[in-house]
Amino acid sequence: MFSANTYQSRRNRLKKDLKSGLALFLGNNDVGMNYAGNTYHFRQDSNFLYFFGIDKPGLAAVVDIDNDREIIFGDDLTVEDVVWMGAMPALKSLAAEVGVSEKLPFKRLINFVKKARRAGQTIHFLPPYRHDNMLLLKDMMNIVPKKQKASASAAFIRAVVAQRAHKSAEEIAEMERAVDISGAMHIAAMQRAREGQVEAELAGMVEGMAVSTGGNLSYPVILSVNGQILHNHYHGNILKRGQMVLGDFGAETAMHYAGDITRTFPVGRKFTPKQKDIYQIVLDAEVNAIKSLRPGVTYKEVHLNAARQMAEGLKALGLMQGNLDDAVAQGAHALFFPHGLGHMIGLDVHDMEDLGEQYVGYSDSVQRSSQFGTAYLRLGRALEPGFVLTVEPGLYFIPQLIDQWRRKKMFPEFINYKKVAQYRHFGGVRIEDNVLITDNGHRILGKPIPKTVEEVEGLRS
Ligand code: GLY
Ligand code: MN
Ligand code: MN
């Protein structure tokens, strides 16, 4: 936890921005995996963590701006609970640690909110994503779950995004820790991977490293010789010489700040010449994109510049052809680069995605594209000091997508399908780092994680 002062000043700023009404925060609960008592790993809601800091299930909170009250709703453990789970500090003292003096039993929440509604107060709530909280909201607000997202408070969302998008010094220190743990996981994977291993051995090892630091994974491990499957969670393939492993995984610290790192390395000691060519195109695009980061540039232009640069590399290899400005404008590069260059990161790996990407990643002047590929860009707007984002270009050869595009005769003027056929079983390369936008430029978070061809091959020898 940060100091009480941190949470207090976040809530004070929220009150100033929202001006009136009652802001409702629903914490997360334990969820049964295969029966109620056998639960998934508990993860507190990130908005609750940001404003109220308490990392326990069974809580909600309100910031009643109209009546100048801040209340945490929750229950202390019974002796029977303590028998099974051990003692926990009294909720009253946990609340005091985050600067909140009022605490009420959880069962008082529904009537508290209903009474506020009857008194004519505006109830601000955020888009819910957990079903138990949707049911609770239905009881309090009388809005059916499928209408709750659309009924969430835009003013509340904007006020939360305005704060969470700019990371403070103490948050940045925590994020550096997350990246350093994630980096150690990647270095271990690059050092330990052996021909004949099952992917699951490496995936399990890096997950264990994240857990052993007192934190956890920040998202399920993506690790595969099928790097072209963007979010591949199947870990049953055997590593074979001549293949590459794409590992996209990271840790969240005990305070839940995320790292999100990707590295791609050969199963053998060295990249093949063909692999090295593609790898170098991706690496150059990543390094140049990072170099261009500073306040004021839009991430959409950084994304399109990276797409354009990779298209040039693909043209040099004979995979693309023609006028590349036109090719990128029309989206032809997306056959090889079908995702966005990156996203905000913080307490969530895709930071604040629950609040809606149009609020987090776009603005009135930068709208989301509807074109295949660029449509997946989660962050397009102008960068500001304090933003932390990922830079993660990649190039992939996805057989089903290639077949579909060829069948539909997509962009024959820009794509050399004959040449592409020679890369059909290539897989994919992605390289990802986490970067802070500073007052006049940027800084890559954490200790450098090997990524040049020489550095990666050095770890493989
Ligand atoms: N780890 C998922 C992503 O890179 O966005
Ligand atoms: Mn990633
Ligand atoms: Mn990412």
Side-chain angles (χ1 to χ4, degrees):
M1 243 187 243
F2 295 127
S3 72
N5 193 34
T6 291
Y7 300 102
Q8 190 69 68
S9 51
R10 289 171 178 174
R11 294 192 300 270
N12 286 343
R13 162 99 191 268
L14 178 72
K15 289 181 220 172
K16 228 173 95 208
D17 289 351
L18 264 182
K19 296 188 184 73
S20 66
L22 182 152
L24 173 64
F25 291 87
L26 300 180
N28 283 341
N29 298 306
D30 274 323
V31 177
M33 204 159 46
N34 48 342
Y35 53 90
N38 195 27
T39 57
Y40 287 106
H41 165 76
F42 172 71
R43 174 56 156 80
Q44 183 57 291
D45 172 73
S46 296
N47 298 304
F48 194 91
L49 276 177
Y50 188 84
F51 289 96
F52 289 91
I54 307 177
D55 194 4
K56 305 272 181 214
L59 301 175
V62 302
V63 175
D64 183 347
I65 304 166
D66 304 328
N67 298 298
D68 198 21
R69 290 172 79 182
E70 297 174 337
I71 309 168
I72 289 178
F73 291 83
D75 301 310
D76 284 312
L77 297 183
T78 64
V79 172
E80 230 175 304
D81 293 331
V82 172
V83 169
W84 290 96
M85 299 181 300
M88 191 182 96
L91 209 43
K92 188 100 193 152
S93 70
L94 289 175
E97 282 184 47
V98 295
V100 175
S101 54
E102 268 197 271
K103 180 214 133 343
L104 289 173
F106 196 87
K107 66 170 192 257
R108 297 270 302 272
L109 176 69
I110 293 178
N111 277 336
F112 188 93
V113 171
K114 281 186 174 170
K115 201 169 148 201
R117 281 176 59 211
R118 280 198 301 273
Q121 281 191 270
T122 302
I123 313 296
H124 298 281
F125 63 89
L126 298 170
Y129 55 91
R130 292 253 182 137
H131 293 159
D132 50 355
N133 280 337
M134 291 178 189
L135 295 178
L136 188 59
L137 260 183
K138 182 173 175 299
D139 286 345
M140 287 187 281
M141 301 298 298
N142 200 24
I143 303 171
V144 294
K146 69 176 178 206
K147 296 207 171 138
Q148 289 172 358
K149 241 185 188 169
S151 309
S153 161
F156 192 8
I157 293 171
R158 283 184 209 282
V160 172
V161 172
Q163 289 201 56
R164 283 185 56 191
H166 297 92
K167 274 64 181 176
S168 67
E170 59 188 353
E171 290 184 287
I172 292 162
E174 197 61 25
M175 295 195 70
E176 298 252 21
R177 263 192 284 284
V179 174
D180 283 340
I181 298 165
S182 307
M185 290 156 63
H186 278 275
I187 290 169
M190 288 191 268
Q191 285 173 329
R192 308 256 183 93
R194 291 288 174 269
E195 189 184 352
Q197 258 174 346
V198 181
E199 293 162 342
E201 292 178 52
L202 291 172
M205 177 192 73
V206 299
E207 177 163 354
M209 288 178 75
V211 173
S212 72
T213 64
N216 209 312
L217 292 173
S218 43
Y219 53 97
V221 169
I222 298 163
L223 184 147
S224 184
V225 292
N226 286 319
Q228 79 282 4
I229 303 173
L230 300 182
H231 282 177
N232 187 353
H233 295 139
Y234 173 76
H235 299 136
N237 297 303
I238 292 173
L239 275 51
K240 298 196 187 98
R241 189 173 296 266
Q243 293 178 316
M244 289 181 294
V245 175
L246 186 155
D248 179 347
F249 45 83
E252 64 170 33
T253 61
M255 285 190 62
H256 303 292
Y257 283 88
D260 180 7
I261 302 292
T262 306
R263 290 293 184 267
T264 309
F265 60 87
V267 173
R269 291 182 172 214
K270 291 192 178 300
F271 290 100
T272 67
K274 205 169 173 180
Q275 289 168 347
K276 205 189 289 190
D277 285 343
I278 300 287
Y279 187 91
Q280 195 62 46
I281 295 170
V282 176
L283 181 63
D284 290 345
E286 200 237 14
V287 169
N288 285 331
I290 292 173
K291 270 190 197 150
S292 72
L293 298 178
R294 60 178 186 282
V297 297
T298 70
Y299 205 56
K300 195 172 186 176
E301 58 184 284
V302 181
H303 167 90
L304 290 172
N305 287 341
R308 165 69 210 236
Q309 197 195 326
M310 289 198 288
E312 269 166 41
L314 294 172
K315 185 173 177 176
L317 294 178
L319 288 154
M320 288 189 77
Q321 57 203 10
N323 181 315
L324 296 181
D325 288 335
D326 294 344
V328 170
Q330 291 174 40
H333 62 279
L335 178 62
F336 311 102
F337 176 41
H339 62 73
L341 186 65
H343 48 85
M344 294 252 203
I345 180 168
L347 278 168
D348 308 302
V349 59
H350 292 172
D351 211 21
M352 300 173 274
E353 196 169 294
D354 59 315
L355 301 181
E357 283 178 348
Q358 74 276 21
Y359 294 103
V360 179
Y362 289 90
S363 62
D364 290 340
S365 56
V366 187
Q367 303 283 336
R368 195 173 190 135
S369 164
S370 59
Q371 187 184 73
F372 176 75
T374 307
Y376 293 111
L377 181 63
R378 301 176 191 282
L379 171 63
R381 65 167 156 143
L383 303 179
E384 297 174 19
F387 283 11
V388 179
L389 46 94
T390 69
V391 180
E392 49 179 309
L395 289 174
Y396 314 88
F397 293 84
I398 305 164
Q400 296 84 346
L401 189 64
I402 294 167
D403 291 345
Q404 185 202 53
W405 278 38
R406 200 218 298 253
R407 212 170 40 242
K408 289 187 169 175
K409 300 194 168 43
M410 300 268 285
F411 307 119
E413 66 277 40
F414 302 129
I415 291 165
N416 179 351
Y417 285 101
K418 245 196 180 139
K419 187 78 183 176
V420 171
Q422 296 171 16
Y423 285 72
R424 190 174 177 84
H425 302 293
F426 180 91
V429 173
R430 179 163 67 253
I431 303 169
E432 175 174 26
D433 285 300
N434 304 161
V435 185
L436 166 72
I437 306 302
T438 59
D439 286 339
N440 35 34
H442 64 268
R443 181 161 67 78
I444 301 180
L445 292 185
K447 298 186 197 87
I449 306 162
K451 64 180 173 183
T452 66
V453 168
E454 296 72 29
E455 286 167 349
V456 171
E457 289 184 345
L459 285 175
R460 296 297 301 137
S461 58

